[in-house]
Amino acid sequence: MKIVICGISGFVGSALKRFYEERGDEVIALSIRSGSSVENVTQKLEGVDVLINLAGANILGRWTKSYKELLRQSRLETTDILIKALSSCENPPYTLLNASAVGVYDADHQHDEFSTHFGNDFLSQLVQEWEHAAFCAQSELTRVCAMRFGVVYANGGGAMAKMLPPFKMGLGGKMGDGFQMISWIHLDDLVRATAFLIDHHEIKGVVNLTSPEPISNLEQTKAMGRILHRPTFFDLPAWVVKLAFGEGSIVMLDSKEVYPRVLQDNGFEFRYPTFDSAMEEIAHAQG
């Protein structure tokens, strides 16, 4: 297949590139910047089988007014150009996999893809706008899947790259009260899930890319201490997180209990369904 990836240089994008190239697909990087012409993007997408859109600034940060604008612009403007280009293609990709996030959901309910309990905050609103933009590409020629990512864990990058060093030094601990649920996925399962979605043409719409077993921050902390053989006494109070990240602290402190019903109902099998299994693999890879 010919697969175009927008946002290929990131943690997830580079893993997708390796995976698809190793299985023999042609992977094409697409970079969209402010001022990119629709015509040039159309040429890149003409006759391609799959478009994977991961473009977007890192959601983990201090949400100043300017950073919020960057979060919006990097997602919505990029997606808008992609949609216009797709509509101009005579032979557009038959599948658009567009990144999204479990941040769309509220903190008070359990969620699968059929949940309508959305958050009332900047992140939820941004995700809803982003998905709405992506679904404008849905047509008889192109199907769209909005992949709502949980926290992505793996060796060598992403959230785990920030979490492991303090834990290895024995400085790990729970964040806030520790009761917030974390919906997460091992990078290997995320990559395999994208291939599963490409191969299963009947799946479209929202798909949660999360493990079937979300975990509380407290239980995750205990598991990391147990597997790494380190103490976990250095708790990080909620006020410290809020002081450092302001409004953006909701990414770490808000509960997200999300289940991958669509993937499971269609027969996808997770290699790392539990946090313990994922953490054991990451610790082993670390050596």
Side-chain angles (χ1 to χ4, degrees):
M1 290 189 299
K2 290 180 72 173
I3 300 174
V4 168
I5 301 178
C6 188
I8 203 168
S9 62
F11 178 53
V12 173
S14 55
L16 291 174
K17 180 178 186 290
R18 284 193 304 272
F19 175 83
Y20 286 111
E21 285 183 341
E22 284 174 5
R23 80 171 201 177
D25 298 311
E26 180 185 355
V27 178
I28 302 163
L30 175 60
S31 179
I32 296 179
R33 294 179 174 83
S34 185
S36 292
S37 77
V38 173
E39 292 77 15
N40 288 342
V41 177
T42 301
Q43 289 174 9
K44 281 254 191 177
L45 298 181
E46 187 65 54
V48 163
D49 297 301
V50 178
L51 168 60
I52 303 177
N53 178 26
L54 306 170
N58 192 338
I59 205 73
L60 190 60
R62 189 171 181 84
W63 293 353
T64 60
K65 185 177 179 181
S66 61
Y67 198 68
K68 279 184 175 182
E69 187 52 40
L70 174 63
L71 291 172
R72 285 179 52 82
Q73 177 267 327
S74 62
R75 285 163 174 77
L76 301 181
E77 288 187 21
T78 299
T79 304
D80 183 55
I81 291 171
L82 287 174
I83 301 313
K84 288 176 179 174
L86 286 170
S87 67
S88 301
C89 288
E90 289 186 20
N91 298 291
Y94 64 81
T95 297
L96 165 60
L97 302 182
N98 203 81
S100 185
V102 297
V104 72
Y105 298 116
D106 72 13
D108 305 314
H109 298 84
Q110 296 179 344
H111 306 278
D112 62 19
E113 289 86 351
F114 303 96
S115 171
T116 55
H117 297 289
F118 295 150
N120 183 28
D121 54 54
F122 168 77
L123 180 55
S124 178
Q125 186 61 42
L126 174 58
V127 173
Q128 290 177 64
E129 290 181 45
W130 195 17
E131 290 184 353
H132 177 75
F135 283 129
C136 289
Q138 181 75 44
S139 70
E140 291 182 1
L141 298 176
T142 302
R143 70 180 169 114
V144 180
C145 294
M147 306 180 294
R148 289 179 179 167
F149 294 166
V151 181
V152 183
Y153 292 141
N155 178 45
M160 197 56 70
K162 296 181 176 67
M163 293 166 61
L164 273 175
F167 271 88
K168 284 189 160 188
M169 290 188 289
L171 301 176
K174 73 179 187 297
M175 197 173 292
D177 62 17
F179 295 136
Q180 68 271 30
M181 295 299 291
I182 300 167
S183 292
W184 60 277
I185 187 169
H186 191 290
L187 179 63
D188 182 66
D189 281 331
L190 184 153
V191 169
R192 292 173 52 251
T194 65
F196 186 85
L197 293 176
I198 290 170
D199 294 340
H200 286 71
H201 297 207
E202 69 278 9
I203 302 175
K204 63 182 179 181
V206 170
V207 184
N208 292 332
L209 266 63
T210 60
S211 87
E213 297 195 24
I215 189 171
S216 73
N217 176 258
L218 177 59
E219 289 304 316
Q220 183 185 77
T221 300
K222 289 179 180 177
M224 290 184 70
R226 184 173 64 252
I227 292 167
L228 296 171
H229 308 293
R230 293 290 188 276
T232 55
F233 301 129
F234 287 84
D235 297 344
L236 197 59
W239 69 267
V240 175
V241 182
K242 290 175 181 176
L243 189 66
F245 291 95
E247 188 182 350
S249 63
I250 66 168
V251 175
M252 290 159 282
L253 297 176
D254 264 19
S255 189
K256 303 295 177 194
E257 186 173 354
V258 181
Y259 296 89
R261 178 173 168 182
V262 169
L263 283 176
Q264 290 191 297
D265 284 355
N266 284 278
F268 180 76
E269 294 186 5
F270 287 84
R271 284 185 183 160
Y272 305 101
T274 66
F275 182 75
D276 274 32
S277 63
M279 193 63 227
E280 291 278 8
E281 188 280 330
I282 292 167
H284 178 74
Q286 285 266 315

